[in-house]
Each structure stands twice: as structure tokens, then as C-alpha cells.
Amino acid sequence: MERARLRVYLGAAPGVGKTHAMLAEGHRRRDRGTDVVVGYVETHGRPRTEEMVGDLEVVPRREVAYRGTTQWEMDLDAIVKRAPTVVLVDELAHTNVPGSAHQKRWQDVEVLLEAGIAVITTVNVQHLESLNDVTEAITGVRQRETVPDAVVRAADQIELVDMSPQALRRRMAHGNIYQPEKVDAALSNYFREGNLTALRELALLWLADQVEEGLDRYRAQHDIDSTWAARERIVVAVSGGPESSTLMRRAARISARRSGGEWQALYVTRHDGLSGIAPERLSELRAKAEELGGTLHTVVGDDAADSVLTFARAENATQIILGASRRRRFSLMLRPGVGEQVIAGAREIDVHIVNHDYVRASRTTLAPRRDSIGRGRRIAGYLFAVLAPVAVSMVMWTSHNIDGLPTEAMALMAVVVATALIGGLLPAVLAALASGLLLNYFFTPPLYNWTISAPENITALLLFIVVGISVAVVVDRAARRSVQASRARAEADALTVLAHSLLTSSDDLTGLLGSACEVFGARGAAVLLRDETGTESVLAVVGQPIGQSEDADLSCEIDEQTTLVLRGSRLPAEQRGLLNAYAAYAKVMTERRAATSAEVERLRLAEADRTRTALLTAVSHDLRSPLAAVKAAVASLRSTEVTWSAQDEAELLATIEESADRLTALVINLLDMSRIYTGSVQATLAEVGVRAAVQDALAPMPDGARVRIEVPDDVGVRADPGLLDRVLANIVENALKYTPAEAAIEVDATTHAERTLIRIADNGPGVSDHRPLFAPFQRMGDVPAKDGVGLGLAVARGLTEAMSGTLVTEDTPGGGLTFVLDLPSADQENA
């Protein structure tokens, strides 16, 4: 069955109108005669959203029993059985209740699409997996429910439901998004104007990238290599000279004039190695490009102009910026510069030639340019070998009465040398033979026939041909030696860059692979790890994916288990050394990674050993006091030598009970700390009322009456009830310990977005440094040793993190300390 189409309404924040737009599209299609049903829609109690459902057919939800509560989920089987043409499914990133067929709702949607049912759905940008950490940095809230970007990118249509931050805040203030009691907290936290603006920009940029990918696919499918100026893209070619900064600044200014414009600097490294740029200079150019808001790319190519044009078309560039040529005018007349060649081949791309202070200045740091003998030069050499001797012979023949045979022979010898410089050995040999024959025909008696009357002329002609061929061999060999030396210099420069990077860079395998792709012109690169069974896995990859060594065009073994592979690149044998250098660098990186991992493990073991030592110390000292008190009280009660009054016996029993309680609390904290360090704490999350949880934690505390609870009855969190009770008890006990007896402790809770903040504030002395508060075995100030080993807060933070929450501290206004417990809300919303 053909896969159905997926349409996604993307929003920047809750309340922009995604669900409303989805329902409106459902009505529009239903009115056109399409079979449309509502699979799942979450109205969040918003009257306008409920009205939009209207008379659309709604598939009843499936009832799910979970931990003594009743949950409602989308009935996937009923929708498949109903088999509508289109189904509306809200909240694509939703996590299904345990026991459902799939963990995530987007997996349910995949089943519907495979069943041939078109789906219209909604999702917020903060629920995209790739943007999860970015949105957390913006809003301070980490989204627990995410959807893979690939699922949304695979949609046939993505439509952004946009709204300005000011309009969204007005909608919030009017009570159209959240209940009135939640509005103030939302407006002052998640729905701040800065947050909404950043989320809106994030959504627009993400969608723009998807549109760009779609455009690239379309151009590739239709073999379109011309530039489509959908977005202003500028490529600025830099040579590494002092004018490079001027060119990059000009590119940055041009790009800034148009919103959404971007620019890239391009440096072309020649195979012959005659660019002569130092690694330090290349690093300076890269830093300068990043400072100006661009990026620097390096490619390898014999023809700089062709490399610039190829890169520009690959990036769909609209403008190319080049510096004015620094060569002399006479040199430009003999051979066009890079600028002239780029202009000739640019076609629809605009080319800017930027003047600078170094125009036609001599470049003493670079060697003169010399092309290797390619196919074009070889063909030109053959043409020159055929035409030049004829042309010179004709010129010399018209003045044969003036010139003698030596002059004519030397002129034709010059033609042979010129041919060797142009086309190499074989065209020069052809020129020597042709020149010898023409010298015999036109200038050696008898003229105008191929016979030779004088024996010495035969010798002279043979010597001419031999000398011509010898000169051609010498010139060709010298040219090839020059090319080989230049290539060796290029490899040496590349090795210098690698050595410099090895000393200064981090263990970034991805960066190394990206550099290898640029230097060798590959489409993809990867480091593969081979296990004992021969199965290969990918350690790092850049560009076109490479899953196995068989998929690669080029490979180099790093060690017995790892291999560096490239796709889309063919190297001559003489360049294998440079590839081996990259493999050696990759080996150093992998070894450095292994050493770093070993160091991390060593530190972890050292920390665990320190913890065990501290635990033993705590057991040896802090258990001794209550045990001694228990033993003394029991021994006194059992003694027959003293008669105890009823009041004395009650005091001794109270001592036993108090010491036993201290022992119990101490052992529980020690065990919990051990579980936290070994990672064996398992939280079973359920909906828990915050007010009831606080009251339960205060119940066994003698001073619990000092705590004032300002928590609404309807505020709840998703937490493990037992762990939450321990966390609240440890925090409140700490607050009671440091707060004066006449001062009250206040507990309140607020909910915004998908998180609930529980604050426990005291008016005690406070602390100047909050960092050591949650470290194990810390006791602040002059607290006596009998009051514990300093594990309560460390245990509280560890248990909080096990419940996907955070525990931090802040100063209480007016003095004191406030603990802020951040946990997922019981009624998380994804719309």
C-alpha cells in the first residue's frame, strides 16, 4: 500500500493556534467531500478550541488504567479499522501511557501513514530533538517529550503557525491559553517576550533550512546547476595575502545589507603546492572569517578559477568577490588572471572585483605559478610542434639571402625548446623531427627536395635532431622535477598544518574528517571501528554516510581495529603519504580519547573510593555516639543496683528512642547515598499532589508546625511518591535546623509551561557560598556532630535528579536560604 501524506503545523510556543489551524483544515477538507475524522485533539479546556471541533467525527479515545488512575489515549486500532482518508492527530511529540502499543505518538502516526491514512498533526519547535538543548538554554526548561527531526522533515508539507510575541502575550493575558491562576507565572517565566522572540526565530530558521533542503533536492533531481537566488549567498575567494581581510570585510558588509544573507570565504590549495601560505596564516584567516560572521573553506584544485566557480555553484552562491589582480599588466596580457577566468565562466553569478592597496604589488612570499602538464597543454604542445616549425621556416625562407644555415638551425632549435616547455617531451620530439626535415628541405642544398648533396650537411642535420631531442628530454625532466618538488612542498605544508593541530587542537575527529574531505576533495569521510567478529561500526563521520569499508573509494588502516575511509576521492600513489599522515593523526586522536576516558574512569573510581572512606569514617564516629547512648540507657534499666523512678525510666526510654531514630535516619541516608553513587536509584513516576506530599513529609517532625504551607490544592507533579517524601523531609529538616525557633518556614509552589517549582524558604542566617551545600559530608557553621554526617542535601539532590528534576538554592529576600525544587508538572501540555 502506498504511504499516505503527512502535514505538520509547526509552532514556536503553546497557544499560537496550531490545533485551531489543524481543525480548520479538517473542516475545509470535510466540506470538500473528504472523509475526515479526529483521532486525538487536546483542547486544554480552551473554549474556542472546543468550538472548533464542531461536528467533525471524533474517534473515541482508548481508556488505559495505569497505577490506579485512568488515562485516555488515541485509539490507534479503531482509527485503522475506521480507515478514513484523513485523520487529525494533535501533539505529535506526546509520550503514550506505559502499556500502549508504542512509546511515542509519532510512532502511532507512522503506522497510520503506512496504512494509507493521511495525517494532519501539530508540534512545537521546542519538542524537536535537535533543538532540545537550545530551547532549554533559552527558556530554562528541558522538554522531556521530543520527536526526531527526521520524522518532521519527512512530512510532505510543513506549515508554520506564526504569531508575534506581543500578540501571544496578549492572548495569554486574556486567559485564552492557560487558566487565570497560571497566567502571571507563565508571563513572568516561560512566556517572557525575549523567550518568545528567540523561539520564534528558531522556528523560522529551522523551517527555512527545511525549505532550503527541499530546493536543493529539486535542483539535484532536475539536474539544475544554475544559481537560484532564493537567498543571498556570497563566496569570497582569498589568496592568503594581506588583502584577504579587506575582501572578507567587504563580503560581510554586502551580506549584512540583506536579511538572511550569508557569506563564505574560500581558499584554494593547489596540488603543486605553490600557494605558499603558512598554517598560522590559514588559522588567522579562519578566525577572521568567524569574527566577521562567515566561515572559511579550503578546497584542492589545479585551476583556481574553476575551483572557485565549482564551489560557488555547489553552494548556490549569488555573488563572488575577488581581489584585483596583483600581477603586472604584461603578465595579464600573456595569460588571463583568475578574475578574468571567473568572470568568463560565472554566467548568472555576479562577480565583484574589489580594489585594494596591494594591486600589482610583487608577492615575494609566493613562488611563481607553474601549471603541470595536463591534457590541454599536451594538445597545445602537439599543435605548436606542427605549426611553429612551418611558420618559422616560412619566415626564415623569405630572408634566406640574409640568414645563413646556422641562424636558421638555431631558430628552429628555439622552437623545439619552446615546444618542450609547452607540451613536454613527446611534442618536443615531434618538433625536432619536423624542424630537421624542414631545415633539410628549405635550407640545405639541393633546395626544395629531400636529398642532401654534402656529407657534412647530413651530419649537421642528424646532430640537430639529436641535440633537439636531448634538449627536449632535459627540459621535460626539469619541468617534471619542478612539479614533483612543488607537490612535495604542498604535502609538507599539509603535514605542518596537521602537526600544528596535533599540538593545539582538541580530540575532534569530526573536524579532522572535515579537513580530509576538503584537502582530498572527498564527498564523505569516516573512522570505522572493527570488532572481533569483523563487524564495523562508525566512530565518526562527516558528509556522505559511510557504514562499511566496502562503501568507500579510499581507505587507510589506522590500527588493527580502526580504518580511515573516504568516499568520492581518487588519489595518485604519490599522495598516499599525506593520507597516511591523516590516518596517523586520527590514531593519535583515538588514543587521546581512550586516555581521556581512562582518566575519567580513574577519577570516578577515586571519587567512589573517597566516598567509601568517608562512609567508613562516618560509620566509625557518628554511629558510635547513638549506640553508646542506647547501650548506656539499656544497661541502666537492666541494673538491679539502682531503683529508677517512673520519670527516670521514661527519660531513659526516650533516650533509647531518640538514638534509635538517629541511627535509622543515618543508615537510610548512607544507603541512599550508596545507591545514588552506584546509579541504582529507580524512580517510578506518578501524579502526586504537592500539598499532600508536603503535609505527609511534615507529619513525623516535632517542629512541623513551624512550616507554613502556601500550596494550592490543584498543583501536582510527576514524581516518585516515596522519593519525593524523602527529598522534602531532608530539605525541611535542614531548614528547621538552621532557622531560629521563632521564625517560620514557608513552602509554596507555582506551575508554568510543563514544570512545577516548589520553593522551601527559611529566614535563617543563610550562606555566602552555595556550592558546597550539596556535597556529601558537609556541615555548615557550628552544627554539632551529633546532628548528622552532612548527607541530607546530597541525598535530596541525587533523588531529585533520579526523578528528572533539579534542586538548586537561592538567597531568600531579607535573609535566609531558599531551596527550589523543579519537577515535571502532572498536567504537562504539548500544544
Side-chain angles (χ1 to χ4, degrees):
M1 180 179 295
E2 184 178 357
R3 180 182 172 91
R5 296 175 63 83
L6 173 63
R7 179 170 184 171
V8 177
Y9 284 99
L10 176 68
V16 295
K18 302 180 303 299
T19 304
H20 191 280
M22 178 186 71
L23 293 171
E25 178 65 14
H27 280 286
R28 188 180 68 82
R29 296 197 183 194
R30 196 276 310 273
D31 295 341
R32 289 188 317 187
T34 305
D35 185 12
V36 179
V37 301
V38 176
Y40 186 93
V41 63
E42 184 57 72
T43 64
H44 300 295
R46 301 167 186 166
R48 295 185 180 180
T49 306
E50 295 173 353
E51 292 174 2
M52 276 300 299
V53 177
D55 56 352
L56 289 174
E57 179 184 346
V58 179
V59 176
R61 300 184 184 184
R62 178 172 57 91
E63 182 179 341
V64 181
Y66 179 68
R67 295 189 178 275
T69 63
T70 300
Q71 307 289 335
W72 300 92
E73 292 288 357
M74 182 176 71
D75 196 335
L76 178 63
D77 295 335
I79 297 174
V80 173
K81 184 177 180 180
R82 169 66 174 76
T85 305
V86 178
V87 61
L88 310 181
V89 180
D90 206 4
E91 298 183 349
L92 182 63
H94 172 75
T95 300
N96 294 328
V97 174
S100 302
H102 303 102
Q103 183 182 5
K104 296 287 188 177
R105 182 165 293 162
W106 63 264
Q107 296 172 316
D108 296 337
V109 168
E110 289 292 319
V111 173
L112 295 173
L113 295 173
E114 294 297 334
I117 302 173
V119 178
I120 303 176
T121 186
T122 65
V123 69
N124 276 332
V125 69
Q126 62 264 34
H127 293 291
L128 296 174
E129 181 63 39
S130 67
L131 302 179
N132 191 252
D133 55 343
V134 179
T135 57
E136 181 184 8
I138 293 172
T139 64
V141 178
R142 185 167 188 84
Q143 303 297 332
R144 304 297 173 182
E145 296 185 326
T146 59
V147 58
D149 287 47
V151 175
V152 182
R153 281 200 301 266
D156 300 278
Q157 185 175 356
I158 304 174
E159 183 172 332
L160 179 65
V161 182
D162 190 30
M163 177 176 288
S164 70
Q166 296 79 7
L168 185 57
R169 283 173 59 84
R170 285 196 299 271
R171 178 179 287 186
M172 170 68 74
H174 294 160
N176 295 330
I177 300 177
Y178 290 161
Q179 297 299 322
E181 61 271 14
K182 300 180 180 180
V183 169
D184 290 339
L187 288 175
S188 60
N189 290 280
Y190 192 92
F191 281 79
R192 293 195 300 267
E193 186 170 339
N195 287 3
L196 298 178
T197 301
L199 291 173
R200 186 189 188 197
E201 181 179 5
L202 202 61
L204 290 169
L205 291 175
W206 187 89
L207 187 58
D209 288 339
Q210 310 318 305
V211 173
E212 184 70 22
E213 290 181 6
L215 178 60
D216 291 341
R217 285 195 300 268
Y218 179 85
R219 296 176 71 235
Q221 292 169 359
H222 294 79
D223 297 325
I224 299 172
D225 59 357
S226 60
T227 298
W228 285 10
R231 181 189 297 185
E232 199 71 32
R233 284 189 178 85
I234 302 171
V235 171
V236 51
V238 296
S239 64
E243 76 281 1
S244 300
S245 297
T246 301
L247 300 181
M248 288 192 290
R249 281 192 289 267
R250 177 61 62 88
R253 289 197 299 269
I254 295 176
S255 176
R257 294 171 188 167
R258 184 169 179 178
S259 179
E262 59 184 42
W263 68 275
Q264 299 167 313
L266 176 66
Y267 175 74
V268 180
T269 299
R270 296 177 52 79
H271 278 300
D272 57 17
L274 298 179
S275 59
I277 186 172
E280 294 80 4
R281 178 57 178 163
L282 190 62
S283 299
E284 292 174 4
L285 291 177
R286 193 179 303 276
K288 189 65 176 178
E290 294 174 354
E291 177 186 343
L292 295 172
T295 56
L296 177 68
H297 301 265
T298 305
V299 298
V300 178
D302 288 326
D303 190 324
D306 181 67
S307 298
V308 170
L309 289 170
T310 301
F311 181 85
R313 291 197 175 93
E315 296 296 323
N316 198 24
T318 57
Q319 300 182 50
I320 297 175
I321 295 179
L322 299 163
S325 178
R326 301 170 62 180
R327 295 166 53 203
R328 300 292 181 180
R329 183 174 301 175
F330 179 75
S331 174
L332 291 173
M333 292 174 60
L334 294 178
R335 179 168 54 86
V338 174
E340 288 76 8
Q341 297 178 53
V342 170
I343 292 173
R347 295 184 302 194
E348 71 285 348
I349 304 177
D350 296 335
V351 180
H352 301 267
I353 303 296
V354 178
N355 203 3
H356 52 83
D357 295 336
Y358 306 93
V359 173
R360 297 187 181 90
S362 60
R363 298 183 61 180
T364 57
T365 58
L366 300 182
R369 174 176 170 176
R370 184 182 301 276
D371 291 328
S372 60
I373 301 176
R375 182 179 179 185
R377 284 186 58 189
R378 187 76 68 184
I379 294 174
Y382 280 116
L383 293 175
F384 191 87
V386 173
L387 299 177
V390 175
V392 171
S393 297
M394 291 298 99
V395 172
M396 300 298 293
W397 178 76
T398 59
S399 60
H400 67 279
N401 293 327
I402 302 175
D403 304 320
L405 183 60
T407 301
E408 295 154 353
M410 292 306 297
L412 290 172
M413 181 62 70
V415 171
V416 175
V417 174
T419 305
L421 292 173
I422 294 174
L425 177 60
L426 295 180
V429 171
L430 177 60
L433 294 174
S435 298
L437 293 174
L438 291 172
L439 186 64
N440 172 45
Y441 188 84
F442 286 104
F443 307 110
T444 304
L447 304 178
Y448 314 127
N449 61 58
W450 303 109
T451 60
I452 302 174
S453 58
E456 63 270 20
N457 290 337
I458 296 177
T459 303
L461 286 174
L462 291 176
L463 286 174
F464 175 88
I465 295 174
V466 171
V467 170
I469 293 176
S470 300
V471 170
V473 170
V474 172
V475 172
D476 178 76
R477 183 172 297 174
R480 292 181 183 276
R481 289 281 190 269
S482 176
V483 171
Q484 292 172 359
S486 300
R487 184 172 289 120
R489 178 181 175 183
E491 292 186 12
D493 287 344
L495 292 173
T496 302
V497 173
L498 283 177
H500 180 74
S501 301
L502 184 61
L503 294 174
T504 60
S505 66
S506 60
D507 307 328
D508 184 14
L509 270 179
T510 303
L512 176 69
L513 296 178
S515 174
C517 286
E518 291 183 347
V519 171
F520 298 115
R523 295 192 302 272
V527 174
L528 304 181
L529 176 64
R530 185 171 54 256
D531 60 19
E532 297 177 354
T533 63
T535 304
E536 292 180 324
S537 58
V538 178
L539 280 182
V541 64
V542 167
Q544 197 173 84
I546 307 175
Q548 301 291 330
S549 297
E550 292 77 11
D551 301 333
D553 299 317
L554 197 64
S555 64
C556 183
E557 187 172 277
I558 298 175
D559 54 34
E560 294 181 357
Q561 286 80 34
T562 53
T563 306
L564 172 65
V565 294
L566 301 175
R567 171 174 286 183
S569 177
R570 292 286 190 271
L571 288 184
E574 60 269 22
Q575 289 191 339
R576 289 289 302 187
L578 185 57
L579 181 62
N580 291 336
Y582 270 89
Y585 189 12
K587 180 179 181 180
V588 172
M589 281 191 170
T590 55
E591 290 176 349
R592 189 181 290 173
R593 278 188 171 186
T596 301
S597 300
E599 177 64 14
V600 171
E601 179 65 15
R602 186 191 67 80
L603 292 175
R604 188 189 68 81
L605 293 175
E607 177 65 18
D609 184 70
R610 189 189 72 83
T611 302
R612 283 193 296 269
T613 302
L615 287 174
L616 291 174
T617 303
V619 168
S620 62
H621 289 82
D622 294 273
L623 292 183
R624 186 179 303 164
S625 176
L627 284 175
V630 170
K631 183 177 181 181
V634 171
S636 298
L637 290 174
R638 289 170 57 88
S639 174
T640 58
E641 300 177 358
V642 180
T643 302
W644 302 100
S645 66
Q647 182 178 356
D648 292 334
E649 290 181 354
E651 290 179 356
L652 290 173
L653 291 173
T655 300
I656 295 173
E657 183 178 12
E658 179 184 354
S659 299
D661 290 340
R662 286 174 56 197
L663 282 173
T664 301
L666 179 61
V667 171
I668 290 175
N669 277 336
L670 290 171
L671 292 176
D672 283 343
M673 203 67 228
S674 299
R675 291 167 58 205
I676 291 171
Y677 268 103
T678 58
S680 59
V681 177
Q682 299 294 329
T684 303
L685 302 184
E687 293 188 5
V688 180
V690 175
R691 186 178 184 87
V694 174
Q695 291 173 341
D696 291 342
L698 296 177
M701 298 183 186
D703 295 333
R706 291 173 50 195
V707 180
R708 185 169 66 250
I709 304 175
E710 300 290 342
V711 180
D713 292 331
D714 60 343
V715 176
V717 295
R718 287 189 60 79
D720 185 301
L723 298 184
L724 180 60
D725 182 83
R726 294 294 317 287
V727 171
L728 292 172
N730 284 6
I731 296 174
V732 172
E733 285 177 355
N734 182 83
L736 290 171
K737 184 185 303 181
Y738 290 95
T739 305
E742 66 276 9
I745 297 172
E746 182 175 311
V747 180
D748 63 26
T750 58
T751 299
H752 59 89
E754 299 177 1
R755 310 292 294 184
T756 295
L757 301 181
I758 305 173
R759 290 182 172 85
I760 299 98
D762 65 55
N763 295 318
V767 294
S768 58
D769 186 3
H770 292 201
R771 288 174 296 177
L773 283 175
F774 298 99
F777 314 110
Q778 294 291 326
R779 284 193 292 253
M780 298 292 108
D782 56 354
V783 176
K786 71 180 183 63
D787 285 346
V789 295
L791 284 177
L793 296 183
V795 169
R797 170 170 277 186
L799 297 181
T800 301
E801 292 173 351
M803 296 184 290
S804 302
T806 59
L807 177 61
V808 297
T809 58
E810 58 187 34
D811 292 325
T812 303
L817 191 65
T818 297
F819 290 85
V820 182
L821 180 62
D822 184 346
L823 292 170
S825 300
D827 54 343
Q828 291 185 8
E829 299 178 0
N830 298 319

